[in-house]
């Protein structure tokens, strides 16, 4: 029974692994920290899995657990070795991307990392195509609050990217 | 540059990842909740070690009849409080495991309960300080309390000695107070404050 549950969970997890990958890259630029955060997210997802009611989509539930884990994740070290990919289970075949695309996303991630933990979460949900109402539900805010916070985060990100481009 | 311009590349991100094949050896290492739980466990083990050492030191020493009463009464008070401490510590340790990260309310509830327990734990520590002094004198250098009691019977207590004892008592308690605060802060308060700050930011 437990093995079957693990199998189903892994299937779900692998289908939506990109979520973890992107959250990790948004929250830290250090290879080891990304790996730590990814492990922590998988652990928390597996631990909370019994509470997952199939009324919502797995990805919706995964957003909530992954983002809350990333927000609560405390980073002790101040390592500054920048990286654009991750080791371990989550690895991307970056060579298939063209250099321009890669550079653009690197710039985006650098800009995102200058935001606060909560702003990062809002931007992540926006990039995932979530509506204001869905963002509000995920974060436990009112729709109006989500709208204002998203607008502020987007403006801040735009400014930061502009600064980084110079 | 508009943020929406990144959306197309964003959707392509993480498309060719190596699948996760097993959940074995998966452990929580870096979350503040895991750190708090680890610290509770470590503290419980250290307390147990200290209790064994103190109990052994007291048991193996042959006290004078008068001091024996004081030492054993102090031990009894210590044992009752230690029992209460372990009940509460286990409770917080187990509650930490049940926190559901998909529900921010669950984290907030844990922070609230833990802070309450921590405040009670501090008060309990402060109220036990005078007894800790007696315990320290009982264990210190083969029963310092016995030497003090003998000296008192032989020479009585001069005003100077009384003042010295009072100063020592105040200094000892002050030191213990600072120590308790520093230990509680490094083990729990800083993690809790950090969690609370993040939760405030979310809500």
């Amino acid at each position: 029974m437990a093995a079957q549950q693990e199998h189903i969970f892994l299937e779900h997890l692998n289908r939506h692994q990109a979520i973890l990958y992107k959250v990790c890259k948004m929250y830290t630029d250090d290879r080891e920290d990304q790996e730590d955060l990814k492990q922590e997210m998988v652990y928390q997802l597996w631990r909370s899995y019994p509470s997952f009611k199939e009324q919502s989509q797995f990805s919706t539930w995964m957003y909530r657990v992954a983002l809350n884990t990333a927000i609560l994740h405390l980073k002790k070290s101040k390592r500054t070795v920048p990286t654009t990919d991750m080791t371990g289970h989550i690895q991307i075949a970056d060579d298939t991307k063209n250099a321009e695309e890669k550079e653009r996303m690197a710039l985006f991630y650098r800009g995102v990392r200058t935001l606060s933990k909560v702003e990062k979460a809002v931007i992540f949900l926006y990039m995932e195509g979530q509506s204001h109402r869905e963002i509000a539900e995920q974060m436990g805010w009112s729709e109006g609050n989500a709208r204002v916070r998203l607008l502020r985060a987007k403006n801040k990100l735009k400014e930061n990217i502009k600064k980084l481009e110079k | 540059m508009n943020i929406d311009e990144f959306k197309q590349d964003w959707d392509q991100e993480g498309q060719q990842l190596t699948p996760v094949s097993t959940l074995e050896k998966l452990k929580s290492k870096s979350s503040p909740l895991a750190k708090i739980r680890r610290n509770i466990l470590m503290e419980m083990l250290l307390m147990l070690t200290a209790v064994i050492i103190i109990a052994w030191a007291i048991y193996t020493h042959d006290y004078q009849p008068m001091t024996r009463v004081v030492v054993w009464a102090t031990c009894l008070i210590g044992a009752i409080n230690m029992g209460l401490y372990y009940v509460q510590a286990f409770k917080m340790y187990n509650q930490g495991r049940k926190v559901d990260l998909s529900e921010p309310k669950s984290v907030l509830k844990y922070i609230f309960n833990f802070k309450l327990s921590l405040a009670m734990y501090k008060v309990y520590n402060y109220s036990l300080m005078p007894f800790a002094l007696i315990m320290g004198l009982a264990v210190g250098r083969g029963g310092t309390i016995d030497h003090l009691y003998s000296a008192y019977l032989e020479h009585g207590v001069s005003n100077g000695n009384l003042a010295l004892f009072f100063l020592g008592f105040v200094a000892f308690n002050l030191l213990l107070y600072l120590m308790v605060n520093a230990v509680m802060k490094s083990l729990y308060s800083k993690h809790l404050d950090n969690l609370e700050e993040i939760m405030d930011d979310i809500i």
Side-chain angles (χ1 to χ4, degrees):
Chain A
M1 189 67 184
Q4 195 192 351
Q5 199 184 22
E6 184 177 330
H7 179 73
I8 298 168
F9 173 77
L10 284 173
E11 256 183 30
H12 278 309
L13 182 74
N14 287 325
R15 203 174 311 136
H16 302 286
Q17 235 199 117
I19 294 174
L20 301 189
Y21 173 80
K22 289 185 267 196
V23 172
C24 286
K25 282 185 79 170
M26 282 180 86
Y27 277 84
T28 173
D29 65 344
D30 181 82
R31 213 177 275 252
E32 273 182 57
D33 288 337
Q34 285 177 350
E35 189 56 31
D36 277 355
L37 179 55
K38 185 214 73 186
Q39 279 218 18
E40 189 65 39
M41 287 192 295
V42 176
Y43 171 81
Q44 293 297 345
L45 283 163
W46 175 232
R47 214 177 58 87
S48 312
Y49 188 58
S51 72
F52 166 59
K53 315 264 188 306
E54 305 222 359
Q55 294 152 343
S56 63
Q57 281 186 346
F58 185 84
S59 58
T60 310
W61 173 78
M62 195 171 175
Y63 287 147
R64 197 177 311 145
V65 179
L67 287 174
N68 282 339
T69 307
I71 289 170
L72 296 179
H73 185 81
L74 292 184
K75 200 167 63 149
K76 225 177 169 185
S77 63
K78 293 279 175 209
R79 293 183 289 257
T80 52
V81 185
T83 178
T84 52
D85 68 344
M86 293 164 57
T87 54
H89 292 305
I90 297 180
Q91 221 161 28
I92 190 161
D94 272 343
D95 49 343
T96 57
K97 285 185 164 188
N98 65 50
E100 196 192 328
E101 227 174 77
K102 242 171 103 174
E103 210 174 294
R104 211 166 36 224
M105 280 318 285
L107 177 71
F108 173 77
Y109 282 120
R110 279 214 308 277
V112 166
R113 285 185 207 117
T114 59
L115 302 177
S116 75
K117 287 181 168 190
V118 177
E119 285 167 341
K120 282 178 190 146
V122 179
I123 290 293
F124 172 82
L125 291 169
Y126 173 73
M127 294 301 281
E128 286 290 302
Q130 301 278 293
S131 66
H132 289 125
R133 190 178 54 79
E134 285 166 327
I135 294 174
E137 267 171 27
Q138 289 282 356
M139 303 301 291
W141 302 331
S142 68
E143 202 175 325
N145 193 4
R147 197 183 297 271
V148 172
R149 289 211 195 203
L150 175 63
L151 189 69
R152 277 193 205 142
K154 272 166 75 179
N155 287 338
K156 195 169 161 189
L157 178 60
K158 220 187 295 182
E159 284 297 311
N160 292 345
I161 289 177
K162 212 183 280 174
K163 276 182 207 161
L164 287 168
E165 268 179 323
K166 283 176 190 170
Chain B
M1 189 178 258
N2 199 310
I3 306 301
D4 294 315
E5 287 173 34
F6 293 101
K7 271 199 168 172
Q8 203 184 343
D9 294 335
W10 175 266
D11 292 336
Q12 299 305 313
E13 281 280 285
Q15 291 303 310
Q16 289 160 297
L17 303 170
T18 313
V20 178
S21 54
T22 178
L23 297 171
E24 271 175 39
K25 293 177 186 170
L26 208 57
K27 260 198 265 179
S28 176
K29 292 188 291 185
S30 49
S31 93
L33 289 170
K35 280 178 189 164
I36 289 172
R37 288 188 75 228
R38 235 186 353 250
N39 287 344
I40 297 174
L41 196 65
M42 188 186 75
E43 200 198 337
M44 285 198 290
L45 289 173
L46 282 176
M47 281 284 206
L48 190 68
T49 313
V51 166
I52 291 169
I53 292 170
I54 290 170
W56 180 80
I58 289 172
Y59 184 74
T60 52
H61 188 76
D62 191 21
Y63 294 100
Q64 290 179 38
M66 186 58 203
T67 49
R68 193 180 301 149
V69 174
V70 175
V71 170
W72 284 109
T74 309
C75 284
L76 192 67
I77 293 166
I80 292 168
N81 281 286
M82 202 46 82
L84 292 172
Y85 158 76
Y86 271 101
V87 168
Q88 196 60 21
F90 268 119
K91 209 168 130 187
M92 293 323 295
Y93 183 75
N94 282 330
Q95 273 184 20
R97 194 172 38 203
K98 290 175 192 155
V99 175
D100 183 358
L101 283 192
S102 64
E103 285 298 330
K105 273 183 193 162
S106 167
V107 182
L108 280 174
K109 191 179 166 196
Y110 185 68
I111 295 172
F112 177 79
N113 284 340
F114 205 108
K115 284 207 157 182
L116 196 65
S117 296
L118 204 59
M120 278 158 55
Y121 183 41
K122 277 186 187 174
V123 171
Y124 141 91
N125 266 297
Y126 303 149
S127 63
L128 283 182
M129 280 174 186
F131 298 104
L133 180 63
I134 295 174
M135 202 64 96
L137 290 174
V139 177
R141 287 201 300 172
T144 312
I145 198 166
D146 265 348
H147 302 307
L148 286 175
Y149 185 60
S150 301
Y152 165 70
L153 288 179
E154 270 180 47
H155 313 293
V157 183
S158 67
N159 282 344
N161 280 345
L162 203 62
L164 206 64
F165 176 79
F166 182 73
L167 272 177
F169 181 77
V170 171
F172 177 81
N173 282 330
L174 190 67
L175 191 73
L176 223 53
Y177 171 83
L178 294 173
M179 235 171 70
V180 166
N181 270 320
V183 170
M184 291 300 115
K185 189 174 179 183
S186 89
L187 288 183
Y188 310 114
S189 294
K190 71 171 181 191
H191 300 305
L192 287 170
D193 289 345
N194 216 324
L195 267 177
E196 206 171 28
E197 204 177 293
I198 294 166
M199 296 312 290
D200 282 348
D201 202 13
I202 296 176
I203 295 160

